[in-house]
mmCIF file of all heavy atoms in Angstrom:
data_model
loop_
_atom_site.group_PDB
_atom_site.id
_atom_site.type_symbol
_atom_site.label_atom_id
_atom_site.label_comp_id
_atom_site.label_asym_id
_atom_site.label_seq_id
_atom_site.Cartn_x
_atom_site.Cartn_y
_atom_site.Cartn_z
ATOM 1 N N VAL A 22 82.300 45.482 24.237
ATOM 2 C CA VAL A 22 82.881 46.175 23.069
ATOM 3 C C VAL A 22 83.369 45.079 22.089
ATOM 4 O O VAL A 22 84.116 44.152 22.576
ATOM 5 C CB VAL A 22 83.995 47.002 23.594
ATOM 6 C CG1 VAL A 22 84.631 47.782 22.342
ATOM 7 C CG2 VAL A 22 83.538 48.102 24.602
ATOM 8 N N LYS A 23 83.012 45.111 20.910
ATOM 9 C CA LYS A 23 83.511 44.079 19.847
ATOM 10 C C LYS A 23 84.965 44.248 19.801
ATOM 11 O O LYS A 23 85.513 45.324 19.808
ATOM 12 C CB LYS A 23 82.764 44.301 18.660
ATOM 13 C CG LYS A 23 81.294 44.000 18.530
ATOM 14 C CD LYS A 23 80.802 43.811 17.180
ATOM 15 C CE LYS A 23 79.250 43.644 17.081
ATOM 16 N NZ LYS A 23 78.663 44.959 17.368
ATOM 17 N N PRO A 24 85.713 43.132 19.500
ATOM 18 C CA PRO A 24 87.117 43.166 19.221
ATOM 19 C C PRO A 24 87.523 44.147 18.237
ATOM 20 O O PRO A 24 88.525 44.888 18.252
ATOM 21 C CB PRO A 24 87.529 41.738 18.750
ATOM 22 C CG PRO A 24 86.412 40.944 19.430
ATOM 23 C CD PRO A 24 85.227 41.664 19.480
ATOM 24 N N THR A 25 86.694 44.338 17.223
ATOM 25 C CA THR A 25 86.989 45.248 16.009
ATOM 26 C C THR A 25 86.677 46.723 16.417
ATOM 27 O O THR A 25 87.028 47.560 15.697
ATOM 28 C CB THR A 25 86.164 44.861 14.752
ATOM 29 O OG1 THR A 25 84.849 44.632 15.265
ATOM 30 C CG2 THR A 25 86.676 43.592 14.189
ATOM 31 N N ASP A 26 85.927 46.864 17.567
ATOM 32 C CA ASP A 26 85.667 48.224 17.899
ATOM 33 C C ASP A 26 86.511 48.893 19.082
ATOM 34 O O ASP A 26 86.241 49.994 19.566
ATOM 35 C CB ASP A 26 84.156 48.292 18.419
ATOM 36 C CG ASP A 26 83.157 48.059 17.205
ATOM 37 O OD1 ASP A 26 83.652 48.208 16.104
ATOM 38 O OD2 ASP A 26 81.954 47.711 17.574
ATOM 39 N N VAL A 27 87.473 48.038 19.554
ATOM 40 C CA VAL A 27 88.216 48.512 20.655
ATOM 41 C C VAL A 27 89.100 49.736 20.158
ATOM 42 O O VAL A 27 89.856 49.666 19.055
ATOM 43 C CB VAL A 27 89.337 47.516 21.158
ATOM 44 C CG1 VAL A 27 90.059 47.907 22.279
ATOM 45 C CG2 VAL A 27 88.453 46.208 21.445
ATOM 46 N N VAL A 28 89.182 50.924 20.987
ATOM 47 C CA VAL A 28 89.863 52.059 20.665
ATOM 48 C C VAL A 28 91.188 51.985 21.478
ATOM 49 O O VAL A 28 91.117 52.064 22.744
ATOM 50 C CB VAL A 28 88.963 53.351 20.949
ATOM 51 C CG1 VAL A 28 89.745 54.555 20.668
ATOM 52 C CG2 VAL A 28 87.652 53.321 20.219
ATOM 53 N N PHE A 29 92.235 52.145 20.858
ATOM 54 C CA PHE A 29 93.638 52.157 21.490
ATOM 55 C C PHE A 29 94.154 53.656 21.317
ATOM 56 O O PHE A 29 94.149 54.226 20.255
ATOM 57 C CB PHE A 29 94.626 51.243 20.759
ATOM 58 C CG PHE A 29 94.246 49.773 20.922
ATOM 59 C CD1 PHE A 29 93.313 49.050 20.140
ATOM 60 C CD2 PHE A 29 94.889 49.098 22.035
ATOM 61 C CE1 PHE A 29 93.114 47.726 20.316
ATOM 62 C CE2 PHE A 29 94.576 47.710 22.221
ATOM 63 C CZ PHE A 29 93.781 47.069 21.358
ATOM 64 N N VAL A 34 93.755 51.102 26.476
ATOM 65 C CA VAL A 34 92.372 51.214 26.236
ATOM 66 C C VAL A 34 91.589 51.625 27.527
ATOM 67 O O VAL A 34 91.701 51.061 28.588
ATOM 68 C CB VAL A 34 91.913 49.645 25.920
ATOM 69 C CG1 VAL A 34 90.292 49.560 25.697
ATOM 70 C CG2 VAL A 34 92.530 49.107 24.686
ATOM 71 N N LEU A 38 86.106 46.665 28.661
ATOM 72 C CA LEU A 38 85.627 45.935 27.491
ATOM 73 C C LEU A 38 84.265 45.349 27.681
ATOM 74 O O LEU A 38 83.501 45.202 26.798
ATOM 75 C CB LEU A 38 86.556 44.896 26.867
ATOM 76 C CG LEU A 38 87.980 45.427 26.571
ATOM 77 C CD1 LEU A 38 88.915 44.134 26.150
ATOM 78 C CD2 LEU A 38 87.881 46.343 25.486
ATOM 79 N N ALA A 98 94.590 43.069 25.611
ATOM 80 C CA ALA A 98 93.738 43.020 24.470
ATOM 81 C C ALA A 98 94.533 42.860 23.194
ATOM 82 O O ALA A 98 94.222 41.995 22.343
ATOM 83 C CB ALA A 98 92.947 44.335 24.288
ATOM 84 N N TYR A 113 92.505 39.903 22.418
ATOM 85 C CA TYR A 113 91.085 40.394 22.007
ATOM 86 C C TYR A 113 91.206 40.967 20.637
ATOM 87 O O TYR A 113 91.056 42.234 20.475
ATOM 88 C CB TYR A 113 90.631 41.349 23.059
ATOM 89 C CG TYR A 113 89.143 41.485 23.059
ATOM 90 C CD1 TYR A 113 88.259 40.456 23.490
ATOM 91 C CD2 TYR A 113 88.528 42.683 22.754
ATOM 92 C CE1 TYR A 113 86.878 40.558 23.427
ATOM 93 C CE2 TYR A 113 87.149 42.857 22.775
ATOM 94 C CZ TYR A 113 86.413 41.725 23.095
ATOM 95 O OH TYR A 113 85.020 41.855 23.121
#
Side-chain angles (χ1 to χ4, degrees):
V22 179
K23 289 195 190 73
T25 46
D26 293 343
V27 181
V28 177
F29 291 86
V34 177
L38 297 179
Y113 200 65

